[in-house]
Amino acid sequence: MTTLTLTINKRDYQFDNLDTRTTLLDVCRQHLQITGPKKGCDHGQCGACTMLINGQRVNSCLTLAVMHEGDEITTIEGIGMPESLSALQQAFADNDAFQCGYCTPGQICSATALIEEVKQNWPSYVTADLKNPDGLLVQEIAERMSGNICRCSAYPNIIKAISQVLESQFLEKSDTDVSIANAKNGSQVTGIWSPPPSQTQLGNASNRQQAANTQGGRS
């Protein structure tokens, strides 16, 4: 008989002869009735099932439960409950950062890890200065949350909620190297941030403009 022990939200659970093909998401939802993590796409693309494993965000629909004996697993229930919300959960409520709420557990788990990544000065794909990443910028937050999809399109308010927590925590940290003033200049969210056009897109636009100019000059 094979026994598996998983530590989820600081509580140990034992399983006897668990099917080795069972994902961590299905263990939580089907075996333990921990239903905060949601099964969205079941292909690791929507982020609704995001959990924290040893502090890092993981799509739990793509990882097998048997791989995580000895790991610290945290779901949305371990971050905060209605009577004891985390600062991030409260910020989501304050900023209306959700509508149907289906993706919210995964969004908050992902954002919880994001905040720790920013504190540790991890760069992202859009970071301009790799030695001094400014994780408070809107485009940084948007990029770091790009693995979590919200079909209700609450993205601007999700960014506001995360910005609120990041700014408050960095303001409390007197020895931070991050400039709050510079971050605030780019933190006014008026829509969904999108990356700048690529060189290929710019080239195509230039070609179309030249073609239009040529056609306009014909008699």
Side-chain angles (χ1 to χ4, degrees):
M1 178 177 293
T2 302
T3 301
L4 171 68
T5 302
L6 295 177
T7 303
I8 304 174
N9 300 328
K10 301 187 182 302
R11 179 178 174 182
D12 291 340
Y13 298 90
Q14 287 192 342
F15 304 88
D16 295 327
N17 289 332
L18 180 72
D19 189 326
T20 55
R21 298 168 296 179
T22 308
T23 65
L24 181 58
L25 177 61
D26 284 339
V27 161
C28 286
R29 292 186 57 84
Q30 305 300 326
H31 294 259
L32 302 176
Q33 285 68 58
I34 299 175
T35 56
K38 298 297 188 283
K39 180 173 284 193
C41 65
D42 208 24
H43 289 282
Q45 297 181 12
C46 72
C49 68
T50 304
M51 299 180 192
L52 303 180
I53 299 180
N54 299 328
Q56 297 188 19
R57 38 190 166 166
V58 173
N59 290 325
S60 61
C61 72
L62 294 183
T63 188
L64 300 176
V66 295
M67 299 168 59
H68 297 291
E69 185 161 26
D71 290 337
E72 289 287 339
I73 302 165
T74 304
T75 69
I76 188 67
E77 291 88 348
I79 291 176
M81 297 297 284
E83 65 278 5
S84 57
L85 297 178
S86 71
L88 185 61
Q89 288 171 314
Q90 187 62 56
F92 265 65
D94 292 344
N95 291 278
D96 294 326
F98 52 87
Q99 291 186 38
C100 77
Y102 194 85
C103 73
T104 307
Q107 297 274 2
I108 291 176
C109 283
S110 187
T112 298
L114 176 155
I115 290 170
E116 293 305 313
E117 293 168 8
V118 170
K119 288 180 180 178
Q120 296 175 37
N121 283 334
W122 288 18
S124 78
Y125 179 75
V126 299
T127 299
D129 185 350
L130 296 181
K131 293 184 178 180
N132 298 290
D134 191 346
L136 300 182
L137 296 173
V138 169
Q139 56 265 39
E140 281 282 352
I141 297 173
E143 169 63 23
R144 293 168 191 266
M145 290 297 294
S146 61
N148 291 78
I149 295 174
C150 174
R151 298 188 186 278
C152 300
S153 294
Y155 298 116
N157 290 352
I158 289 171
I159 293 174
K160 285 181 182 178
I162 298 171
S163 295
Q164 175 180 306
V165 175
L166 277 172
E167 290 180 10
S168 67
Q169 293 193 7
F170 274 92
L171 283 170
E172 293 171 358
K173 185 179 178 183
S174 59
D175 60 344
T176 181
D177 294 328
V178 179
S179 172
I180 300 299
N182 290 338
K184 287 185 176 180
N185 289 335
S187 65
Q188 185 63 33
V189 182
T190 57
I192 299 175
W193 179 85
S194 59
S198 66
Q199 291 299 317
T200 300
Q201 291 171 321
L202 291 173
N204 291 339
S206 176
N207 292 337
R208 287 195 297 269
Q209 184 62 44
Q210 290 177 2
N213 292 339
T214 301
Q215 292 174 357
R218 293 175 181 173
S219 56

